[in-house]
């Protein structure tokens, strides 16, 4: 061990954590549970019942409890509100009514209300707990603080607990936090840093109540108990797709303030559905009861998630939502919200197990049914010569093969695990799961219930009761660590930013939705199956549609200009590139294409990957016009963008792919490594006369193109084919094809998109040949063709 001091510190921390977990099991230990927000909706609906269940489960084992309901409300009013909330407590069905009344009485005597506002209030609480423990002759085991309050109150409460209400030496502290855990990556990081200054990581339990739902909590145990059957099936070779679905019939009425700030993706997809995805996709640890192993394997899933693009999602909003927002938030009659109440998102995981398998996450309000499920649908490669009426559900390989973790509600009406009979008979713990008999006439996913082995819980249990038990027993795997939380926001924030101004599709709600929200997916893109109908109400997006315009053909800087709406423009450019490629391969046997980086070509790459199956990829060489001086695996690398949006979806021989050598000898763009000269030599050796068949460029808002920048002479003239340049934007070091090399090309296409390009487009249309001021003005192939491709926003504003 190189650092024995660090090892001692780690060992001590591990020892204290294990000790804290063990102490929860000791007899004659006293545990104080403080419920902050004790008179709120969550407390009334779930938390008091969950605490009562915890008392029923653990009180008889020798533990001593006290329950403190806390809020800002004055003592008398708070006590009355809390007493009202406690009236609805119920016992499990197997507890006799007389015994239940006695147990409720015991729990009520152990529960008291107190106002917690100031540091002095927390000091008084701590002294009262210590006095109670001493009076009973017990030892304090620990304290649980449950934050059932808005996140803006976390910091003050955390500060008061840390300074005035921690238990004494030898006792543990656990603080339980409810979502939302931030609004995006930055706010989540700020909240995590704030809490981290008061509490240690092992003291914090971030609740996602879906992890306490019985079907969800059984995903890992099910995978573990059925390893032998699943080992060969749980991978890209056998799984066709995974669906993770949460549908609601209720709308956002009464919650418009919250929903306007968060929307459906932040409310359910970023947390509930993503957590479920990790349970399905993670590598199974050797010991699924090890919290540390489970959390580490979940984190590995986040690290393998492919970045989301705008085209990865489709959005909807029920028709009445904007009206609800106007009423509840006193907005003017002209206000129309862009907040989505429905979303479908297509997720891919780039690892050996799941490469190419679509994970579909979908959630929405005001839909046709209330249901939640996880559905793993397996590929079916069988053909049965007999007609379907002769297929036996336990034997026929032609029937659908699927595993479903049915979270609740819907046609079935209760949590369940279903396995197609033509897969295998699953193993489940008989003390907690029982096999369900057939219900004739009931169809699930188009098949009768008799097609499945169906299991339901022996005793249905509320999610919060399960999670409170896990908190008590120090089971961290059912909660969100800081590291996993931030990894989730890193994944979701770029998509949320890209969708911020998207107009969601309006839908009427309920059964009237029909097929309006059906969607399809292909090559990483989602799209609604039906065309958008006439708007249900006038609002954002009622401007002229793309179909109202045709492709414009004109001149720009004395060269051909093609202009259209973005989608049509990309389609036209992709077709033109394919035509050029086919001609080059027919004449010369190969096609040399050099592409720029940045965001503009992404849609083009996706279009080429998705819709151009006649493209001669096997004979195409792909080169980079420019590159940022970062490792090729870095998300900012232009090559990484090419890889993510094009290369991984097509079949190009690897020796035909030519990334720029920006990372040599573990250094980035060092002059002495001669990376620019190496790339120039490669071009000279493989490209006849160093003349690319087609070079695709963009244009920056400052008039730069490739990585050739204004006020910098580098690469604008001279003999060098490839140069190192300095960018005014980070990362500053770049490698680029020189202007003389670009102008040797047979064809050059300049793609300009977006309203932010309108100003530079107008300027460049008027200037002459002044590459030192505007490098793009120096692009003019000596004997080739130049064409400009501009969308209407860049061309017309």
């Amino acid at each position: 061990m190189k650092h024995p001091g660090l090892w001692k510190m780690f060992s001590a921390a591990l020892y204290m954590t294990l000790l804290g977990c063990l102490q929860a099991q000791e007899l004659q230990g006293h545990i104080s549970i403080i419920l902050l927000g004790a008179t709120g909706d969550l407390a009334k609906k779930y938390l008091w019942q969950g605490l009562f269940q915890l008392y029923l489960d653990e009180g008889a084992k020798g533990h001593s409890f006290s329950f403190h309901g806390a809020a800002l409300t004055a003592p008398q009013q708070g006590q009355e509100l809390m007493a009202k909330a406690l009236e609805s407590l119920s016992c499990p069905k197997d507890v006799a009514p007389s015994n239940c009344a006695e147990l409720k009485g015991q729990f009520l005597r152990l529960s008291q209300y107190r106002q917690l506002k100031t540091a002095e209030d927390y000091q008084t609480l701590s002294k009262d707990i210590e006095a109670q423990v001493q009076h009973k002759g017990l030892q304090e085991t620990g304290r649980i603080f449950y934050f059932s309050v808005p996140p803006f109150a976390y910091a003050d409460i955390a500060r008061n607990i840390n300074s005035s209400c921690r238990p004494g030496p030898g006792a543990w502290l656990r603080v339980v936090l409810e979502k939302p855990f931030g609004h995006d990556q930055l706010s989540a990081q700020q909240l995590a840093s704030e809490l981290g200054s008061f509490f240690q990581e092992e003291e914090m339990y971030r609740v996602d109540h879906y992890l306490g739902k019985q079907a969800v909590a059984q995903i890992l145990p099910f995978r573990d108990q059925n390893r032998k059957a699943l080992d060969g099936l749980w991978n890209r070779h056998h799984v066709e797709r995974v669906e993770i679905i949460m549908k609601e019939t209720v709308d956002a009425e009464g919650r418009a303030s919250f929903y306007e700030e968060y929307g459906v993706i932040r409310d359910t997809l970023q947390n509930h559905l993503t957590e479920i995805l990790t349970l399905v996709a993670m590598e199974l640890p050797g010991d699924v009861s090890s919290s540390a192993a489970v959390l580490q394997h979940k984190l590995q899933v986040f690290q393998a998630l492919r970045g989301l693009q705008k085209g990865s999602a489709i959005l909807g909003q029920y028709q009445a939502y904007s009206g609800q927002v106007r009423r509840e938030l006193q907005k003017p009659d002209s206000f129309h919200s862009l907040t989505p109440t429905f979303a479908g998102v297509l997720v891919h995981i780039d690892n050996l197990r799941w490469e190419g398998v679509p994970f579909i996450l979908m959630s929405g309000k005001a839909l046709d049914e209330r249901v939640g499920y996880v559905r793993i649908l397996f590929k079916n490669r069988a053909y049965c010569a007999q007609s379907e009426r002769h297929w036996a559900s336990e034997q026929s390989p032609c029937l659908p093969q699927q595993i479903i973790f049915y979270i609740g509600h819907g046609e079935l009406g209760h949590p369940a695990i279903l396995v197609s009979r033509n897969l295998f008979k699953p193993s489940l713990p008989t003390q907690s799961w029982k096999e369900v008999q057939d219900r004739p006439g009931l169809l699930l996913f188009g098949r009768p219930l008799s097609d499945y082995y169906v299991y339901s819980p022996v005793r249905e249990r509320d999610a919060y009761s399960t999670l409170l038990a896990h908190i008590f027993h120090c089971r961290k795997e059912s909660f969100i660590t800081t590291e996993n939380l931030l990894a989730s926001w890193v994944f979701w924030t770029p998509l949320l930013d890209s969708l911020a101004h998207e107009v969601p599709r309006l839908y009427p709600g309920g059964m009237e939705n029909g097929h309006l929200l059906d969607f399809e997916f292909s090559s990483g893109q989602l799209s609604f199956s039906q065309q958008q109908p006439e708007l249900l109400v006038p609002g954002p997006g009622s401007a002229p549609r793309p179909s109202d315009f045709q492709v414009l053909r004109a001149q720009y800087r004395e060269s051909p200009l093609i202009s259209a709406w973005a989608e049509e423009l990309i389609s036209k450019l992709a077709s033109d590139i394919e035509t050029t490629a086919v001609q080059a391969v027919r004449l010369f046997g190969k096609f040399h294409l050099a592409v720029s980086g940045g965001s503009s070509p992404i849609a083009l790459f996706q279009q080429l990957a998705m819709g151009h199956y006649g493209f001669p990829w096997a004979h195409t060489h792909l080169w980079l016009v420019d590159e940022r001086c970062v490792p090729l695996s870095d998300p900012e690398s232009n090559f990484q963008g090419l890889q993510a949006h094009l290369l991984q979806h097509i079949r190009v021989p690897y020796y035909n792919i030519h990334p720029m050598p920006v990372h040599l000898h573990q250094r980035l763009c060092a002059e002495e490594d001669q990376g620019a000269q190496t790339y120039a030599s490669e071009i000279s050796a493989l490209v006849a006369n160093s003349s690319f068949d087609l070079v695709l460029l963009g244009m920056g808002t400052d008039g730069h193109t490739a990585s050739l920048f204004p006020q910098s002479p580098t690469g604008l003239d001279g003999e060098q084919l490839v140069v190192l340049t300095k960018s005014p934007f980070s990362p500053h070091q770049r490698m680029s094809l020189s202007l003389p090399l670009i102008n040797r090309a047979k064809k050059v296409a300049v793609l300009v998109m977006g309203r932010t390009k309108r100003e530079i487009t107008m300027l460049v249309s008027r200037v002459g040949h002044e590459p030192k001021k505007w490098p793009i003005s120096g692009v003019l192939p000596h004997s080739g063709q130049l064409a400009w491709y501009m969308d209407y926003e860049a061309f017309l504003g």
Side-chain angles (χ1 to χ4, degrees):
M1 178 65 70
K2 291 182 179 179
H3 304 287
L6 287 175
W7 174 246
K8 287 179 183 177
M9 287 171 62
F10 175 74
S11 300
L14 183 62
Y15 172 76
M16 289 304 295
T17 302
L18 292 172
L19 180 64
C21 294
L22 291 170
Q23 283 174 334
Q25 319 306 326
E26 289 178 0
L27 297 179
Q28 302 305 312
H30 183 81
I31 296 101
S32 305
I33 301 180
I34 301 93
L35 175 54
L36 298 142
T39 58
D41 283 347
L42 183 64
K44 285 187 281 190
K45 287 181 180 175
Y46 301 109
L47 299 180
W48 281 116
Q49 181 63 45
L51 292 173
F52 181 47
Q53 185 63 53
L54 180 67
Y55 174 68
L56 296 180
D57 293 341
E58 304 296 337
K61 298 177 183 177
H63 301 298
S64 169
F65 286 95
S66 61
F67 301 91
H68 305 265
L72 300 176
T73 312
Q76 184 175 348
Q77 185 186 2
Q79 183 63 51
E80 291 170 0
L81 290 170
M82 191 175 109
K84 194 170 182 181
L86 292 172
E87 286 174 3
S88 60
L89 294 180
S90 61
C91 294
K93 293 177 183 176
D94 56 355
V95 176
S98 58
N99 194 21
C100 179
E102 182 183 344
L103 291 167
K104 281 176 68 174
Q106 291 173 7
F107 183 76
L108 292 174
R109 286 191 291 276
L110 294 172
S111 305
Q112 57 177 298
Y113 176 83
R114 61 173 63 234
Q115 186 181 31
L116 286 182
K117 289 179 78 171
T118 66
E120 290 73 24
D121 292 335
Y122 285 85
Q123 288 172 357
T124 303
L125 170 62
S126 189
K127 288 175 183 174
D128 289 351
I129 291 172
E130 290 165 6
Q132 183 182 11
V133 171
Q134 287 176 2
H135 177 71
K136 292 185 176 180
L138 299 171
Q139 182 178 355
E140 185 172 14
T141 296
R143 298 178 189 178
I144 297 174
F145 285 85
Y146 200 115
F147 287 44
S148 181
V149 296
F152 65 75
Y154 283 5
D156 285 342
I157 294 171
R159 186 179 297 106
N160 286 326
I161 293 171
N162 186 54
S163 63
S164 309
C165 211
R166 278 186 171 274
W172 45 254
L173 171 69
R174 292 178 193 151
V175 293
V176 189
L177 307 162
E178 277 282 346
K179 81 175 185 74
F181 310 122
H183 184 267
D184 54 18
Q185 183 184 347
L186 179 60
S187 58
Q189 179 68 68
Q190 289 170 339
L191 183 60
S193 298
E194 229 170 25
L195 291 169
S197 66
F198 301 117
F199 304 126
Q200 297 172 32
E201 180 64 31
E202 63 266 21
E203 294 175 330
M204 291 186 283
Y205 290 73
R206 289 184 185 84
V207 168
D208 184 325
H209 74 275
Y210 259 63
L211 293 178
K213 290 185 177 287
Q214 287 171 289
V216 175
Q218 194 60 30
I219 292 175
L220 282 187
F222 177 90
R223 290 180 58 192
D224 183 46
Q225 291 150 14
N226 295 278
R227 280 182 193 255
K228 189 173 180 181
L230 289 175
D231 269 353
L233 293 174
W234 210 256
N235 56 58
R236 61 191 167 98
H237 301 296
H238 297 278
V239 175
E240 179 183 309
R241 68 173 185 256
V242 178
E243 301 169 1
I244 305 174
I245 309 298
M246 178 184 166
K247 296 170 69 177
E248 297 181 275
T249 53
V250 298
D251 58 23
E253 190 166 6
R255 298 183 69 222
S257 177
F258 169 84
Y259 222 76
E260 261 307 271
E261 186 177 357
Y262 287 92
V264 67
I265 294 179
R266 290 181 175 91
D267 186 36
T268 58
L269 277 78
Q270 179 272 327
N271 38 75
H272 304 326
L273 304 194
T274 304
E275 285 299 313
I276 293 172
L277 180 148
T278 63
L279 296 176
V280 173
M282 64 186 275
E283 293 300 310
L284 205 56
D287 179 8
V288 295
S289 63
S290 165
S291 294
V294 169
L295 292 169
Q296 187 57 38
H297 282 68
K298 284 175 73 172
L299 185 60
Q300 289 169 3
V301 176
F302 283 114
Q303 292 164 346
L305 291 174
R306 185 188 304 170
L308 296 172
Q309 305 297 324
K310 187 187 289 189
S312 306
I314 43 101
L315 304 177
Q317 182 193 94
Y318 65 85
Q319 181 181 351
Y321 177 76
S322 282
Q324 291 173 347
V325 175
R326 288 194 290 270
R327 287 194 302 275
E328 293 183 30
L329 302 184
Q330 286 81 54
K331 298 284 188 181
D333 291 344
S334 59
F335 174 81
H336 290 280
S337 173
L338 293 180
T339 301
T341 61
F342 168 88
V345 177
L346 181 61
V347 177
H348 281 93
I349 302 171
D350 289 331
N351 60 22
L352 284 175
R353 182 178 294 277
W354 296 113
E355 183 184 11
V357 177
F359 283 71
I360 302 161
L361 278 57
M362 189 202 84
S363 182
K365 289 188 173 294
L367 300 181
D368 62 320
E369 62 174 337
R370 182 187 182 190
V371 70
Y373 61 84
V374 186
R375 182 184 182 215
I376 297 95
L377 185 65
F378 293 88
K379 295 175 182 177
N380 194 327
R381 299 184 177 91
Y383 175 79
C384 296
Q386 279 188 311
S387 63
E388 186 175 351
R389 65 178 180 273
H390 299 297
W391 296 354
S393 63
E394 293 190 39
Q395 298 167 353
S396 176
C398 287
L399 286 170
Q401 299 177 332
Q402 48 198 331
I403 296 173
I404 301 148
F405 297 94
Y406 202 85
I407 298 167
H409 306 290
E411 291 288 324
L412 204 53
H414 58 75
I417 296 173
L418 302 94
V419 179
S420 294
R421 288 182 178 269
N422 58 349
L423 267 177
F424 62 90
K425 184 174 176 62
S427 171
L428 280 100
T430 54
Q431 71 275 17
S432 53
W433 291 81
K434 62 183 179 185
E435 194 162 359
V436 175
Q437 300 306 309
D438 185 22
R439 285 164 54 183
L442 176 63
L443 297 178
L444 275 183
F445 304 101
R447 302 304 308 174
L449 209 60
S450 57
D451 273 12
Y452 305 94
Y453 295 109
V454 185
Y455 297 83
S456 68
V458 171
R459 172 181 158 201
E460 284 193 46
R461 189 178 172 104
D462 172 68
Y464 282 97
S465 298
T466 299
L467 293 174
L468 284 164
H470 288 184
I471 294 163
F472 181 79
H473 289 289
C474 198
R475 288 183 54 184
K476 293 280 287 186
E477 75 273 12
S478 301
F479 302 90
I480 317 301
T481 64
T482 301
E483 200 171 14
N484 278 276
L485 171 69
L486 296 179
S488 178
W489 276 120
V490 166
F491 175 64
W492 284 102
T493 298
L495 177 69
L496 288 163
D497 289 345
S498 73
L499 296 173
H501 303 294
E502 284 293 296
V503 179
R505 167 173 289 197
L506 292 176
Y507 59 95
M511 296 299 295
E512 292 180 42
N513 294 336
H515 296 289
L516 194 59
L517 298 177
D518 293 354
F519 55 87
E520 300 169 359
F521 55 93
S522 176
S523 298
Q525 300 281 297
L526 276 187
S527 59
F528 285 112
S529 301
Q530 293 188 354
Q531 290 294 312
Q532 171 75 64
E534 290 299 315
L535 288 178
L536 301 169
V537 293
S542 56
R545 296 187 301 265
S547 57
D548 297 333
F549 295 82
Q550 300 299 316
V551 174
L552 291 179
R553 299 179 188 278
Q555 291 277 309
Y556 182 83
R557 291 182 59 81
E558 301 180 355
S559 292
L561 167 68
I562 298 94
S563 191
W565 289 108
E567 187 175 339
E568 196 170 2
L569 181 73
I570 290 297
S571 179
K572 170 64 176 164
L573 176 55
S575 294
D576 289 352
I577 292 174
E578 181 175 1
T579 300
T580 303
V582 169
Q583 289 174 348
V585 170
R586 188 172 67 245
L587 292 172
F588 308 109
K590 61 189 72 170
F591 173 57
H592 288 281
L593 171 64
V595 295
S596 285
S599 58
S600 294
I602 288 175
L604 172 67
F605 295 158
Q606 292 170 341
Q607 175 75 22
L608 288 169
M610 183 169 61
H612 290 262
Y613 300 107
F615 202 104
W617 292 116
H619 304 283
T620 296
H621 285 256
L622 281 162
W623 302 82
L624 272 292
V625 166
D626 62 331
E627 183 59 277
R628 295 160 177 172
C629 292
V630 296
L632 295 184
S633 58
D634 190 292
E636 290 198 315
S637 161
N638 290 339
F639 181 77
Q640 185 62 230
L642 183 67
Q643 158 66 20
H645 301 291
L646 180 64
L647 295 179
Q648 69 176 358
H649 304 295
I650 59 175
R651 295 290 175 264
V652 177
Y654 74 92
Y655 43 80
N656 284 8
I657 300 168
H658 308 279
M660 282 185 157
V662 293
H663 196 187
L664 298 171
H665 307 122
Q666 299 184 333
R667 296 184 295 194
L668 292 168
C669 293
E671 290 270 9
E672 53 269 34
D673 292 334
Q674 297 192 326
Q677 293 90 323
T678 301
Y679 205 56
S681 299
E682 191 175 358
I683 293 168
S684 298
L686 296 175
V687 182
N689 302 316
S690 298
S691 175
F692 291 107
D693 295 301
L694 193 149
V695 173
L696 175 67
L697 299 176
M699 179 169 67
T701 54
D702 59 352
H704 83 264
T705 192
S707 280
L708 306 173
F709 297 95
Q711 316 308 324
S712 172
T714 310
L716 299 181
D717 49 30
E719 298 299 318
Q720 279 188 277
L721 301 183
V722 184
V723 293
L724 294 177
T725 66
K726 293 282 186 183
S727 165
F729 319 107
S730 179
H732 300 294
Q733 285 187 295
R734 307 287 177 96
M735 185 180 289
S736 177
L737 303 188
S738 68
L739 192 56
L741 177 58
I742 290 169
N743 285 333
R744 288 191 194 183
K746 296 168 186 170
K747 287 188 179 182
V748 175
V750 183
L751 176 62
V752 188
M753 297 178 69
R755 194 164 295 168
T756 60
K757 303 291 178 69
R758 171 63 179 146
E759 193 173 321
I760 190 65
T761 299
M762 290 181 64
L763 177 64
V764 169
S765 70
R766 299 192 297 263
V767 304
H769 182 84
E770 299 183 68
K772 290 185 179 178
K773 288 186 178 180
W774 302 284
I776 188 69
S777 72
V779 175
L780 190 61
H782 303 313
S783 55
Q785 300 171 347
L786 170 63
W788 298 82
Y789 292 79
M790 293 186 188
D791 73 348
Y792 287 138
E793 289 195 330
F795 183 52
L796 302 173

